[in-house]
Amino acid sequence: MTDSNITSGGLTAPRHLAIIMDGNGRWAQARGKQRVSGHKEGANAVRRVISECVRLGVKELTLFAFSSENWKRPALEVNALMALFVEAIRKESKNLLKNGIKTRIVGDKSKFPSILQSQIAKVEELTKDCEVMTLNIAANYGGRWDVLNASRNLLKDCLANGTNPDDLTEDDISQRLNVISNVDLMIRTGGEQRISNFLLWQSAYAELYFSKTLWPDYGADDLIEAIEFFNGRERRFGMTSAQVQAKGELNAD
Ligand code: IPE
Ligand code: IPE
Ligand code: MG
């Protein structure tokens, strides 16, 4: 599996794109509106970006919708976000299926209202055989939680199977994460330059792109700009530039 192998319009799409969708609150506040209206407009940006990713040939898209730390926000905002998630899944399920998008909600789902949990189960079941693109919606997700959860499961398996801890590999953790594949490009919108506990393990070698655009304004042009940046990077994975180039020539033969 290569990390970026599908071209469209001269661009090479990252295989796995991850986006920290930030700036909804500021978008609303700049218009004298409630923060919630920024989240509502953000849902339209989600729709735009998903269809553009399909068009560009992205194989896996992981969107940060709600972090494990976002419960600290005012109850009014948290409740509105939960209601928006329920509505978005209900409204979009058929379209996701029609477009071949395997949809998964990644995060600790046990904390969600039961109506949301059942909507999630429905869309995951409905789209489970889709193959055009995998969409991971990270909700009540934290990178540290993901590693902790994987470690817990690994420990249980080790105890059950009598595995020697010295025999464990990085793969034993990777395979138990909620999101398994490595991120090729991580975008954060809204101007902040931090990871905020997103895919910590999976982004070990991700290229990072920070956009000033607030999420509700984010669209195809912004995405293309980020992918152009990605295409201009030399991904060395610890090697020297000369080694990477020699390897590229070898692969091209
Ligand atoms: C991101 O936008 C959406 C969520 C975290 C749910 P914010 O709500 O963080 O927007 P800002 O950063 O306050 O502008
Ligand atoms: C990160 O954004 C989480 C999501 C985009 C869902 P935040 O707005 O919560 O991040 P911080 O608190 O500014 O780091
Ligand atoms: Mg924010």
Side-chain angles (χ1 to χ4, degrees):
M1 184 168 62
T2 59
D3 36 39
S4 50
N5 50 11
I6 299 169
T7 35
S8 160
L11 286 179
T12 303
R15 200 205 70 81
H16 185 180
L17 170 65
I19 308 182
I20 302 174
M21 310 183 289
D22 197 23
N24 293 353
R26 278 164 285 162
W27 183 93
Q29 275 157 357
R31 284 160 181 76
K33 295 180 179 176
Q34 297 294 313
R35 293 178 57 85
V36 173
S37 76
H39 297 313
K40 282 190 185 144
E41 196 56 37
N44 294 328
V46 170
R47 239 173 266 125
R48 280 198 296 277
V49 165
I50 292 173
S51 61
E52 190 61 12
C53 283
V54 168
R55 195 184 72 77
L56 291 166
V58 171
K59 293 310 287 179
E60 186 164 359
L61 172 65
T62 305
L63 298 176
F64 206 4
F66 190 87
S67 76
S68 12
E69 291 75 30
N70 287 147
W71 295 110
K72 294 178 197 159
R73 294 193 177 193
L76 198 73
E77 182 170 344
V78 170
N79 293 341
L81 279 165
M82 295 300 141
L84 265 177
F85 292 148
V86 172
E87 190 192 321
I89 299 175
R90 192 179 49 74
K91 267 191 160 148
E92 297 301 329
S93 289
K94 282 200 186 110
N95 274 335
L96 291 163
L97 177 65
K98 199 172 80 196
N99 290 295
I101 301 171
K102 177 175 177 170
T103 306
R104 303 167 58 232
I105 283 57
V106 295
D108 183 358
K109 296 176 247 192
S110 67
K111 302 281 184 301
F112 289 139
S114 59
I115 163 97
L116 180 53
Q117 291 191 35
S118 69
Q119 292 279 2
I120 289 173
K122 268 195 221 157
V123 73
E124 289 186 337
E125 175 61 25
L126 186 71
T127 62
K128 69 178 192 311
D129 298 323
C130 292
E131 288 182 344
V132 174
M133 184 175 82
T134 297
L135 170 66
N136 304 311
I137 306 277
N140 194 16
Y141 177 87
R144 290 180 174 175
W145 166 82
D146 203 0
V147 175
L148 174 64
N149 188 56
S151 308
R152 276 192 188 125
N153 290 333
L154 178 56
L155 186 58
K156 284 177 197 162
D157 291 348
C158 285
L159 292 173
N161 304 328
T163 310
N164 180 346
D166 291 334
D167 292 338
L168 295 178
T169 64
E170 289 185 2
D171 252 9
D172 289 314
I173 293 188
S174 303
Q175 293 304 317
R176 289 170 176 81
L177 293 169
N178 271 246
V179 176
I180 293 174
S181 77
N182 289 323
V183 173
D184 298 303
L185 172 63
M186 183 182 283
I187 298 172
R188 180 173 187 139
T189 69
E192 306 291 356
Q193 303 197 357
R194 55 176 172 262
I195 306 286
S196 298
N197 197 16
F198 196 24
L199 301 158
L200 298 179
W201 176 287
Q202 300 88 335
S203 60
Y205 267 101
E207 299 296 332
L208 305 177
Y209 188 79
F210 300 101
S211 164
K212 289 203 167 62
T213 306
L214 302 174
W215 178 251
D217 290 329
Y218 204 80
D221 291 351
D222 299 277
L223 187 60
I224 286 169
E225 197 177 288
I227 295 179
E228 279 169 354
F229 158 86
F230 174 71
N231 287 172
R233 309 317 304 160
E234 182 183 62
R235 305 189 72 198
R236 292 194 282 274
F237 298 99
M239 291 180 281
T240 66
S241 183
Q243 286 175 304
V244 173
Q245 279 162 31
K247 212 172 149 212
E249 280 157 25
L250 206 68
N251 289 344
D253 291 341

